[in-house]
Amino acid sequence: MEPRDSMSFDEFKQLAMVSMEEMCREIFKENQASIKIKKEAVALKNLARIFNTTLRLANEKGFQTMSLRDLSRASGMSMGALYSYFSSKEALLEMIQNRGRRLTRKILSRLVDPAQDPAAKLETAIRAHLYLTEVMLPWFYFSYMETKNLDKIQQKKSIESELATERMFIEILDEGKRQGVFRVADCVLTASVIKAMLQDWYLKRWKYTRRQVSVDDYAGFVIDFVESAIHAPLAKRPEEKGGQDGSRG
Amino acid sequence: MEPRDSMSFDEFKQLAMVSMEEMCREIFKENQASIKIKKEAVALKNLARIFNTTLRLANEKGFQTMSLRDLSRASGMSMGALYSYFSSKEALLEMIQNRGRRLTRKILSRLVDPAQDPAAKLETAIRAHLYLTEVMLPWFYFSYMETKNLDKIQQKKSIESELATERMFIEILDEGKRQGVFRVADCVLTASVIKAMLQDWYLKRWKYTRRQVSVDDYAGFVIDFVESAIHAPLAKRPEEKGGQDGSRG
DNA sequence: CAATAAAAAACGAACGATCGTTCTATTTTT
DNA sequence: AAAAATAGAACGATCGTTCGTTTTTTATTG
């Protein structure tokens, strides 16, 4: 699929759903040593059920607090059946993390377009991240909340993933700054607060749902807000004023 | 103490430490029915020890995952001793939440100054919140992460507290908009993303520590960033341009 | 197609470990 | 000596995990 300047949320959702199945299959094949189920069709169906039920329960009460008996009850599978799909509770956690990270990487890699100008790139990146977190909301929330319960290796991966996302924004901002279209005092901190705003979408989802703010509403607002901030003369820095009109194509 | 236009972080810290002891005493007197310790001096010293140790352990592995034996070991108090200070693990959680909320309310109430103009108010509010979360970082992180483990009543209180903070920003933005000094497309969403930026300070503290960004650095940046965003003409809305120079006293 | 043997999957009782909590004995302070 | 505070063993419940049994599906045969 070709990357495009703008993609509707519905198109994005469809793209994600296809990748979702793909990822389950990859996970299954990689963990076939520890998974006792032989037939792919059976395994994929039940793995998806286990993953989704776990995400739901863990987002309600936390992964550690959720017992495997809770999971058994909610998923309609017996304890013995569950242990045919993973070797331990921690292994289940790792599989879920693994699937989410793969899915994130896969979807994002399809959406970057090096040919765009910095302003368009910024808009695409913000929108793509919000769409992504919207589609995979349970996972992102889960992943954020359970980081501390992962082993050191997995924690490293989470941090690395976080910093990689931020680095992408830093590069866009840097490029725009060099081209003179952005007026950024500190690219690292700016990328940091942009990421904070994007994160709020899945961490405080209840708030936006209650206020009937759609993902497109929020995306539009954040894009405008950020562009206003980095197109304007810096407040309290009179020596940097002038030579700026703020207009874009 | 009189509210002032600007207060250094060190002054703020001192103010907070005094209130901290005060709050422990209040908590002790209110829960005297369930606390088996008679002498205030002993109770206050050990309550503080229990609270701080709990916050440390819970921020490492989560409150539910932390066993009371962990707490016993880390605090150097026996199981029996611990249960002289609280009636159950959940009661301990509530006491900690209670102390944090009180402390927050107390400190913030001392820092609002209705006489300031909107821009100064905004700056004071941002700085005060960052200082507050810096001083009480373990609690804010704890409180955020453990919300889902609270009972319904305590959850309501947390949400209410979150919305109250946001409302404060909404009112400042609204006032500035009415006076024509702020150019805000949506006060609610703007307040929301400001809060998200403030929250990032204590949720991603490791990142800022690693980069050697101080709380004053971050406060200064956020204030500049937000003011740039709401002083500038809105991007992509040419009909709202003009008659704006962005300068302030 | 029906019957049946083999393979795959699901089941749920049982195990040891650990949890929150209680309680009595002991130590420390008054 | 009395009161206050601490100690740590003990209890029942629940946890993650295992394992022999039963049920379901697939393959084979008459």
Side-chain angles (χ1 to χ4, degrees):
Chain A
M1 163 169 293
E2 292 294 302
R4 290 161 42 192
D5 280 356
S6 73
M7 176 186 268
S8 79
F9 176 62
D10 285 335
E11 287 177 289
F12 190 92
K13 197 169 181 177
Q14 214 167 357
L15 169 63
M17 290 305 167
V18 175
S19 299
M20 199 90 85
E21 260 203 53
E22 230 174 289
M23 288 309 110
C24 268
R25 188 171 297 112
E26 282 188 26
I27 296 286
F28 170 63
K29 298 218 162 154
E30 278 181 23
N31 296 64
Q32 218 152 7
S34 63
I35 295 179
K36 297 193 187 76
I37 303 302
K38 304 292 171 189
K39 285 151 48 182
E40 189 177 279
V42 177
L44 261 51
K45 180 175 68 77
N46 285 332
L47 275 177
R49 183 147 60 124
I50 291 172
F51 290 164
N52 294 333
T53 309
T54 303
L55 287 176
R56 182 166 61 80
L57 292 181
N59 286 348
E60 282 169 13
K61 45 159 69 180
F63 182 74
Q64 304 281 349
T65 311
M66 171 202 82
S67 73
L68 290 180
R69 284 171 181 80
D70 291 334
L71 178 59
S72 167
R73 211 173 303 117
S75 65
M77 299 172 71
S78 69
M79 296 296 290
L82 288 178
Y83 269 86
S84 303
Y85 293 87
F86 51 79
S87 56
S88 71
K89 195 183 179 186
E90 197 184 316
L92 169 62
L93 182 83
E94 283 187 22
M95 281 167 74
I96 290 177
Q97 281 290 92
N98 207 345
R99 185 182 72 146
R101 262 199 308 269
R102 274 163 191 270
L103 201 43
T104 300
R105 219 179 307 131
K106 177 145 223 161
I107 292 179
L108 279 188
S109 70
R110 292 187 179 184
L111 295 171
V112 271
D113 181 2
Q116 289 180 315
D117 65 287
K121 256 188 205 169
L122 183 62
E123 179 169 345
T124 303
I126 290 176
R127 199 173 287 275
H129 271 83
L130 287 174
Y131 282 180
L132 180 67
T133 53
E134 174 70 2
V135 170
M136 294 173 52
L137 194 134
W139 181 77
F140 273 95
Y141 189 81
F142 171 85
S143 184
Y144 188 83
M145 289 302 195
E146 303 298 338
T147 308
K148 66 162 75 67
N149 297 324
L150 303 172
D151 60 65
K152 292 294 167 195
I153 298 161
Q154 297 274 329
Q155 278 188 29
K156 266 262 161 62
K157 284 185 184 175
S158 282
I159 289 177
E160 197 42 57
S161 170
E162 154 113 21
L163 293 178
T165 305
E166 200 176 86
R167 212 174 303 122
M168 201 195 75
F169 280 105
I170 292 173
E171 279 162 18
I172 294 173
L173 292 169
D174 253 332
E175 190 187 349
K177 192 177 180 180
R178 280 197 306 275
Q179 294 184 15
V181 293
F182 292 160
R183 184 67 78 114
V184 189
D186 186 324
C187 287
V188 176
L189 279 180
T190 305
S192 208
V193 296
I194 290 174
K195 213 171 167 314
M197 291 186 244
L198 299 183
Q199 213 148 211
D200 207 56
W201 178 252
Y202 63 86
L203 290 180
K204 296 285 175 52
R205 189 52 210 283
W206 57 271
K207 206 169 67 178
Y208 298 108
T209 301
R210 181 196 285 193
R211 288 174 181 164
Q212 304 192 16
V213 178
S214 74
V215 64
D216 279 311
D217 293 337
Y218 193 72
F221 175 82
V222 171
I223 290 165
D224 279 356
F225 187 84
V226 172
E227 289 186 345
S228 293
I230 67 182
H231 277 99
L234 294 173
K236 292 185 171 181
R237 308 234 173 148
E239 74 279 8
E240 288 205 38
K241 277 186 185 174
Q244 191 81 2
D245 71 21
S247 67
R248 284 199 309 118
Chain B
M1 167 172 289
E2 290 295 300
R4 290 163 41 193
D5 281 358
S6 72
M7 176 186 269
S8 80
F9 177 62
D10 285 335
E11 288 176 289
F12 190 91
K13 197 169 180 175
Q14 213 166 358
L15 169 61
M17 290 304 168
V18 175
S19 299
M20 200 90 84
E21 262 203 50
E22 228 174 291
M23 288 308 112
C24 269
R25 188 171 298 112
E26 283 187 26
I27 296 286
F28 168 64
K29 298 221 161 153
E30 278 180 24
N31 296 63
Q32 218 151 6
S34 62
I35 295 178
K36 297 191 187 74
I37 304 301
K38 304 292 172 189
K39 283 151 48 183
E40 189 178 280
V42 177
L44 261 50
K45 179 174 66 76
N46 285 332
L47 274 177
R49 182 148 60 123
I50 291 171
F51 290 163
N52 294 333
T53 309
T54 303
L55 286 176
R56 182 167 61 80
L57 293 181
N59 286 349
E60 283 168 12
K61 44 159 69 182
F63 182 74
Q64 304 282 347
T65 310
M66 171 202 83
S67 73
L68 290 179
R69 285 172 180 80
D70 291 334
L71 178 59
S72 167
R73 211 174 303 118
S75 66
M77 298 172 73
S78 69
M79 297 295 290
L82 289 179
Y83 270 86
S84 302
Y85 292 86
F86 51 78
S87 57
S88 71
K89 197 183 180 188
E90 197 184 315
L92 169 62
L93 181 79
E94 283 186 23
M95 281 166 75
I96 290 177
Q97 280 290 92
N98 205 347
R99 184 181 72 146
R101 263 200 306 269
R102 271 161 194 272
L103 201 43
T104 301
R105 219 179 308 133
K106 178 146 221 159
I107 292 178
L108 279 188
S109 71
R110 291 187 180 183
L111 295 170
V112 272
D113 182 1
Q116 289 180 315
D117 63 289
K121 257 188 204 169
L122 183 63
E123 178 169 345
T124 304
I126 290 176
R127 199 172 288 275
H129 272 84
L130 286 173
Y131 283 179
L132 180 66
T133 54
E134 174 71 1
V135 170
M136 294 172 54
L137 194 134
W139 180 77
F140 273 95
Y141 189 80
F142 171 85
S143 185
Y144 188 83
M145 289 301 194
E146 304 298 338
T147 307
K148 66 162 75 67
N149 298 323
L150 303 172
D151 61 63
K152 293 294 165 193
I153 298 160
Q154 297 273 329
Q155 279 189 29
K156 266 264 161 63
K157 283 184 182 174
S158 283
I159 289 178
E160 195 43 55
S161 170
E162 153 113 23
L163 293 179
T165 305
E166 202 176 84
R167 210 174 304 124
M168 203 196 74
F169 280 105
I170 293 174
E171 278 163 17
I172 294 173
L173 292 169
D174 253 333
E175 189 186 349
K177 192 178 180 181
R178 279 198 306 275
Q179 293 183 17
V181 294
F182 292 160
R183 184 69 77 116
V184 189
D186 186 324
C187 287
V188 175
L189 280 179
T190 304
S192 209
V193 295
I194 290 174
K195 215 172 166 311
M197 292 187 246
L198 300 183
Q199 213 148 212
D200 207 56
W201 178 252
Y202 63 86
L203 290 181
K204 298 285 174 51
R205 188 52 207 285
W206 57 271
K207 204 169 69 178
Y208 298 108
T209 302
R210 180 196 286 193
R211 289 175 180 162
Q212 303 192 19
V213 178
S214 75
V215 64
D216 278 312
D217 294 337
Y218 192 72
F221 175 81
V222 171
I223 289 164
D224 280 355
F225 187 84
V226 171
E227 288 185 345
S228 293
I230 66 182
H231 278 98
L234 294 174
K236 292 185 170 180
R237 310 232 173 151
E239 75 279 7
E240 289 204 36
K241 278 185 183 172
Q244 191 81 2
D245 70 16
S247 68
R248 284 203 306 120

